[in-house]
Amino acid sequence: MVRRIDVTGTGGVRLAAWEFAEQPKARAESERAPGVLLLHGLMGRASHWASTARWLAEKHRAVAIDQRGHGRSDKPADGPFTREVYVADAEAAVEQLGLAPVTLIGHSMGALTAWQLAAKRPDLVRALVICDMRASALGAASQREWEDWFKSWPVPFATLADVRKWFGEDDPWVERPSPARGEFFAEVMAERADGWRPVFSRRQMLTSRETWVYDAHWEELAQVDCPALVVRGLDGELGRAEAQEMVRVLPRGQYAEVSDAGHLVHYDQPEGWRTAIEPFLDGVLTP
């Protein structure tokens, strides 16, 4: 089961969220369960967390949110899309939905939002899962690569099968066929009059990314006081050495890795992802 909830973010931006439940529960029972907020990465959406949220809902109150500019949330033409507003939006979601003390589970950009919120509001955050997000600065070259990559997309796509094939096989960034990657991007496409296009603005995605890609984020990582698990896919963007340094910098850091997984760890290997994070969650979330 899933229940749609709207949250009011910074500047009145409407944020769409979904609360997942494995089976019908009394509202009071659900709201007493430990809260979990799932934060997707750049270009993602709340529905990418559906399989994770459903097993989480067996023990916890699991909510996934479309961050501003993504999914069914508002996409204000002029933003802002700064780090500060993404963090403030997540903070608003935790407070308005009564999730505190919350466990934040974030992928990529969503993981950065999660640890920045944990550093800013330790009173709200019980625990943290960081999935395949680097703390080091990526630099100007990385941003230029993304600009060129967005220009290479053959939009509009004629069919969803074309979406799956291009992102799963034909995209020059794909080193080997990845059906999971194709499915991931099919989830963020919508049919228009001329074909299938992304539900987000690529310009807004670049604007969001440039607010964090030039900076390192080690200082905020060191300010996270709660238990934190750093998870990487063995073929992802976060290397083992950097991941282990992140664990060292985190006051209460732990490490896990998922084999045969790339950047989209929870999509590539959902069972391996669950195996990696469930013991940590059981340790910190058991009432």
Side-chain angles (χ1 to χ4, degrees):
M1 292 187 63
V2 63
R3 178 168 68 104
R4 165 77 181 268
I5 316 166
D6 281 349
V7 171
T8 302
T10 306
V13 169
R14 182 189 55 81
L15 304 170
W18 284 264
E19 181 173 353
F20 290 81
E22 181 67 19
Q23 57 188 3
K25 295 181 179 179
R27 178 67 53 81
E29 177 187 348
S30 173
E31 294 186 352
R32 282 197 302 268
V36 178
L37 183 65
L38 299 125
L39 298 168
H40 61 74
L42 193 72
M43 302 181 295
R45 65 186 307 171
S47 59
H48 282 144
W49 289 115
S51 63
T52 297
R54 288 190 177 106
W55 64 258
L56 281 172
E58 297 170 6
K59 300 178 182 178
H60 315 298
R61 185 180 175 205
V63 178
I65 192 166
D66 283 339
Q67 296 174 77
R68 64 174 55 214
H70 296 77
R72 294 188 179 275
S73 289
D74 286 348
K75 304 168 179 63
D78 299 320
F81 295 101
T82 63
R83 283 285 80 220
E84 290 76 14
V85 297
Y86 275 111
V87 173
D89 286 348
E91 181 180 0
V94 172
E95 292 185 324
Q96 291 173 34
L97 298 176
L99 295 173
V102 70
T103 291
L104 300 172
I105 300 178
H107 173 248
S108 196
M109 182 190 76
L112 176 58
T113 300
W115 88 61
Q116 289 179 326
L117 177 55
K120 176 187 177 185
R121 292 291 308 273
D123 57 308
L124 292 183
V125 183
R126 182 198 302 262
L128 174 66
V129 176
I130 297 168
C131 180
D132 217 67
M133 179 61 189
R134 300 182 61 184
S136 298
L138 302 182
S142 173
Q143 189 72 352
R144 288 194 298 269
E145 288 175 358
W146 273 68
E147 291 173 3
D148 292 341
W149 178 56
F150 277 145
K151 291 175 184 175
S152 75
W153 289 19
V155 292
F157 294 92
T159 68
L160 272 181
D162 292 326
V163 173
R164 294 186 181 98
K165 185 175 187 302
W166 195 82
F167 287 102
E169 300 177 26
D170 299 338
D171 182 350
W173 280 21
V174 175
E175 294 183 358
R176 61 177 185 269
S178 173
R181 190 172 187 269
E183 291 296 336
F184 183 95
F185 280 97
E187 189 78 10
V188 292
M189 296 288 160
E191 190 171 20
R192 311 296 186 197
D194 59 349
W196 292 83
R197 294 180 176 272
V199 298
F200 50 79
S201 158
R202 286 171 285 175
R203 175 187 59 80
Q204 290 184 349
M205 296 301 98
L206 286 172
T207 299
S208 296
R209 193 173 188 271
E210 70 184 5
T211 65
W212 54 263
V213 73
Y214 302 116
D215 301 315
H217 306 283
W218 295 99
E219 184 175 346
E220 290 154 307
L221 202 66
Q223 296 170 6
V224 175
D225 291 331
C226 64
L229 178 68
V230 177
V231 184
R232 62 179 289 267
L234 288 188
D235 299 317
E237 297 178 8
L238 176 61
R240 179 180 283 114
E242 183 171 353
Q244 292 177 343
E245 179 64 11
M246 290 170 66
V247 171
R248 188 192 70 79
V249 168
L250 284 160
R252 301 170 68 185
Q254 300 179 39
Y255 175 74
E257 59 186 26
V258 181
S259 60
D260 298 320
H263 179 57
L264 305 175
V265 182
H266 54 301
Y267 240 66
D268 285 344
Q269 296 294 337
E271 289 305 316
W273 160 250
R274 180 173 182 172
T275 299
I277 73 169
E278 193 168 27
F280 171 80
L281 297 176
D282 285 345
V284 297
L285 294 183
T286 301

